[in-house]
Amino acid sequence: MPVEIVKERYSSKVGTITLGATKEQGGTRTHTVTVGGDSTLPFLHFEGEVPNPPVVAIEICDRVPEWNPSLLEHYRDVVGDPAAWAQKAVEYGADLIFLRLSSADPELGDSSPEKCADTVKKVLGAVGVPLIVVGSGVDDKDNIVLPAVAEAAAGENLLMGIAEQDNYKTLTAACMVHKHNIIALSPIDINICKQLNILINEMNMPLDRIVIDPSVGALGYGIEYTYSIMERIRLGALQGDRMLAMPVICGIGYEAWRAKEANAPVSDFPGWGDQKDRSILWEAVTASGFIQAGGHIIIMRHPEAVKLVKNNIKQLMAK
Amino acid sequence: MGLTGLDIYKQLPKKNCGECGPPTCLAFAMALASGKAALESCPYVSDAAKENLGAASAPPIRLVKIGTAPNEVAIGDETVIFRHDKTFFHETGVAILVGSDLDDAALDAKIAKINDLKFERVGLKYTVNLVAIKQVGGGADEYAAFVKKVADKTSLALILMTDSADAMGKAAEAVAARKPLLYGATVENLDAMLALAKKHTVPLTIHGKDLDETAALAEKASAAGVKDVILDAGQRETAKVLVALTQCRRLAIKKKFRPLGFPTIAVTSEEDPLAEIVQASVYVAKYASIVVIKTDVKEQVLPLLTLRQNVYTDPQKPIQVEAKLNAVGAATTDSPVYVTTNFSLTYYTVEGEVSASKIPAWILSVGTDGTSVLTAWAAGKFTSESIAAAVKSSGVEEKVGHRNIIIPGYVAVLSGKLGELTGWKVLVGPREAAGIPAFAKQRFSA
């Protein structure tokens, strides 16, 4: 019996955003990366367009991070050298580099704005993929570091973060002046998400240069809250809410690798099995969950987890 | 197609006796129309009305049970497409595949591993639910003997997987008392499989090559009186399974399309176990009632079961931990005392960070009906009074020699009053749990 399948009709779609700029476009990237544009729920190709696959950004850091040795060993030869680390990340399949300027933190080296800008330039020089750059998370310091980075990388069409409701003006202004894109972070709250996008937009930042960070949790640590917020963001975008129609970025690696399940040796929790596959899957399944909820840019750490997630995305994009 | 509440009301006895639960026949009719009540609750409904309303008033997706207590697996009976619209009710049953070509020693080892797939994390217990026994070579008698051996070694629910009606008949006979799921009926063997499902009153998987064929077979099953059906729409590629599962869910719930108003089963195709888990995670997130996987390795299965638990958490009912004093590490009378709420996520986040600080400590979780620090504070559930009461009732006064208590930075405002009520010195901790290791190191390291 022929079944009449249910196709939802949506009035709108997720906006697209293109990151990076080639020489012709005023930058130095070998290619650009475009995300978003979905006119349906994740991977429902029968009822809408999914023009761009989700992409994986591999996280690198401008200092030696306190990561689990089983993770850090994959970057053993390159930690401490962000340019070499970025190249390694591209070898591991990174569509984008996510550079965290941790060393700007007054407690973790207090790197100067000039030094941070120089690091960004070096990474740009080392790889051809577009770049995401975020500060150390210390607002006062980031507000002097990020404008310097924005200026030094003018023309590169970076994605920069992190703007929050109580600290967005400096970064927004810097991204406006130097033509970068901005990450708007809200605390698992769809109203604050909209509100922040409105505030940033009111400074004349175009909506198609904003990326939503809905605050993700790790598998087992509240993933379901963000999962549902992201489903609602996607439905809002499809129903024509312009303030929710931005691509979504998910900081998976950071969260997954904070979970006890990713780090505890089997000797601590014999019932959980060996740590190696457990940690890789903790990151990959966290990512998979958020890809199903509508994530566009997935920030990850472990090369094996990256491989699994890219394979999953490839399968999901098959029509 | 679904009837409206008024359509249904016309056929009810209109006694307004309230014996069905809702106070009036009209209220009952409305509940029936939205799939929230069953017609059987009405003791006075006429046979004619039963006939007319039976199909229309059934829930959009039938509840199907496999196996026997205490390991009975109940699946289906879902009412929404998105968990934020209400909740997902019956979590995905996870089945581990076993091929019937294993020799006795290999089978023993395999079943021991499967039986051991029991996990405890954040105070919750997770387990796999079923063993899927697939016929690989051998005749009907051999398969039945193998199935019997598996049944003797595990109390998990069973799925019998074979296309051969002969083998299925003998295997089902051998373990009928366990109420296994028969997998399954295809175009070729439909009549024989239907007969077996009826004979043993066990659920049956309908396995078409696509959605159309699956719906056609399911309709025949219903016509033949087999009610406990599980659907396999025949796809194995990730994106196509996602679409099939989504369509079954949408057609059942949005269109009340009866032939597909049943739970679903998805079978992984990836050979690499890690890739398989990621593939299965798509099916757990998107509507599979059962997912069949091959891997039986603890560290691979735990992430999948954790995702399942997360997706099936009721958004309206936060998971709580018991409100009490807990030791982290080898806590002593000198160890610091942290206070937090009894929202599971909050508690385990704090516990994780306290544990990461490597300084043994006590955590006092205060009963806040499972709300987080700020929510509980705003609702008047995490107050100086409630914390002071918890200090008294928890026995912390006997457990530690000092009188210092650390409260979350977000509720620093409570410190004065709490100090007065308890006589303890109140230390204001970091706002976010992530700040605990640095806080602890600075304050308490020797």
Side-chain angles (χ1 to χ4, degrees), chain A residues 8 220 223 228 261 288 315, chain B residues 83 121 238 254 270 281 310:
Chain A
E8 301 289 350
I223 186 174
S228 285
E261 289 79 357
S288 164
Q315 291 177 355
Chain B
R83 58 186 295 282
R121 64 173 291 280
T238 314
K254 301 188 80 133
E270 286 280 342
S281 72
N310 287 170

Side-chain angles (χ1 to χ4, degrees), chain B residues 123-205:
Chain B
L124 299 168
K125 290 189 165 71
Y126 307 160
T127 59
V128 299
N129 312 89
L130 307 113
V131 179
I133 311 159
K134 184 177 183 176
Q135 187 182 22
V136 181
D141 291 316
E142 282 164 286
Y143 179 62
F146 185 86
V147 165
K148 185 78 176 68
K149 270 190 268 181
V150 175
D152 290 342
K153 291 174 204 293
T154 183
S155 57
L156 293 173
L158 305 175
I159 305 177
L160 311 185
M161 294 181 114
T162 174
D163 290 339
S164 152
D166 189 22
M168 188 67 92
K170 290 187 165 147
E173 188 80 48
V175 295
R178 295 283 290 271
K179 296 289 167 202
L181 167 63
L182 311 187
Y183 177 110
T186 62
V187 158
E188 287 78 24
N189 65 19
L190 182 69
D191 292 338
M193 289 291 182
L194 289 174
L196 287 173
K198 281 173 82 167
K199 179 179 173 196
H200 299 293
T201 41
V202 292
L204 175 67
T205 297

Side-chain angles (χ1 to χ4, degrees), chain B residues 28 65 102 158 185 216 271 320 387 409 421:
Chain B
F28 181 56
K65 294 172 177 172
L102 294 183
L158 305 175
E271 292 301 326
Q320 307 183 21
I387 299 172
L421 290 172

Side-chain angles (χ1 to χ4, degrees), chain A residues 51-133:
Chain A
N52 301 294
V55 295
V56 174
I58 293 186
E59 177 177 346
I60 69 170
C61 184
D62 68 344
R63 59 186 287 279
V64 180
E66 290 84 23
W67 291 359
N68 190 291
S70 71
L71 170 60
L72 209 50
E73 73 172 7
H74 296 276
Y75 302 104
R76 194 176 36 221
D77 305 332
V78 294
V79 283
D81 180 352
W85 193 345
Q87 285 170 342
K88 192 83 182 169
V90 171
E91 275 173 40
Y92 287 146
D95 300 305
L96 300 160
I97 297 296
F98 176 91
L99 169 60
R100 194 188 290 279
L101 296 169
S102 308
S103 79
D105 186 325
E107 306 272 313
L108 300 173
D110 204 16
S111 293
S112 66
E114 296 71 33
K115 182 159 185 240
C116 291
D118 187 51
T119 300
V120 172
K121 295 288 274 185
K122 281 185 179 142
V123 172
L124 283 165
V127 296
V129 299
L131 222 62
I132 307 169
V133 181

Side-chain angles (χ1 to χ4, degrees), chain B residues 96-298:
Chain B
I96 309 290
L97 190 72
V98 175
S100 68
D101 55 344
L102 294 183
D103 63 33
D104 280 357
L107 176 63
D108 278 351
K110 182 89 187 167
I111 296 294
K113 281 181 90 174
I114 294 171
N115 285 337
D116 197 33
L117 289 172
K118 294 177 181 151
F119 304 92
E120 192 169 347
R121 64 173 291 280
V122 300
L124 299 168
K125 290 189 165 71
Y126 307 160
T127 59
V128 299
N129 312 89
L130 307 113
V131 179
I133 311 159
K134 184 177 183 176
Q135 187 182 22
V136 181
D141 291 316
E142 282 164 286
Y143 179 62
F146 185 86
V147 165
K148 185 78 176 68
K149 270 190 268 181
V150 175
D152 290 342
K153 291 174 204 293
T154 183
S155 57
L156 293 173
L158 305 175
I159 305 177
L160 311 185
M161 294 181 114
T162 174
D163 290 339
S164 152
D166 189 22
M168 188 67 92
K170 290 187 165 147
E173 188 80 48
V175 295
R178 295 283 290 271
K179 296 289 167 202
L181 167 63
L182 311 187
Y183 177 110
T186 62
V187 158
E188 287 78 24
N189 65 19
L190 182 69
D191 292 338
M193 289 291 182
L194 289 174
L196 287 173
K198 281 173 82 167
K199 179 179 173 196
H200 299 293
T201 41
V202 292
L204 175 67
T205 297
I206 295 294
H207 185 176
K209 70 177 189 312
D210 55 22
L211 214 51
D212 292 352
E213 191 178 286
T214 305
L217 294 176
E219 191 148 65
K220 283 184 187 161
S222 295
V226 172
K227 293 203 169 95
D228 287 331
V229 163
I230 290 173
L231 306 168
D232 181 341
Q235 310 300 329
R236 289 297 178 267
E237 291 167 39
T238 314
K240 290 187 172 153
V241 177
L242 170 66
V243 169
L245 292 170
T246 303
Q247 282 300 342
C248 288
R249 184 73 155 243
R250 279 188 181 177
L251 281 158
I253 288 174
K254 301 188 80 133
K255 301 287 179 192
K256 295 239 168 135
F257 182 65
R258 287 293 156 204
L260 297 179
F262 297 101
T264 50
I265 185 167
V267 182
T268 59
S269 61
E270 286 280 342
E271 292 301 326
D272 171 71
L274 276 67
E276 180 188 34
I277 291 295
V278 176
Q279 186 184 37
S281 72
V282 173
Y283 308 156
V284 165
K286 293 292 168 71
Y287 316 131
S289 311
I290 296 178
V291 58
V292 182
I293 60 174
K294 297 177 280 285
T295 178
D296 56 12
V297 178
K298 273 179 173 285

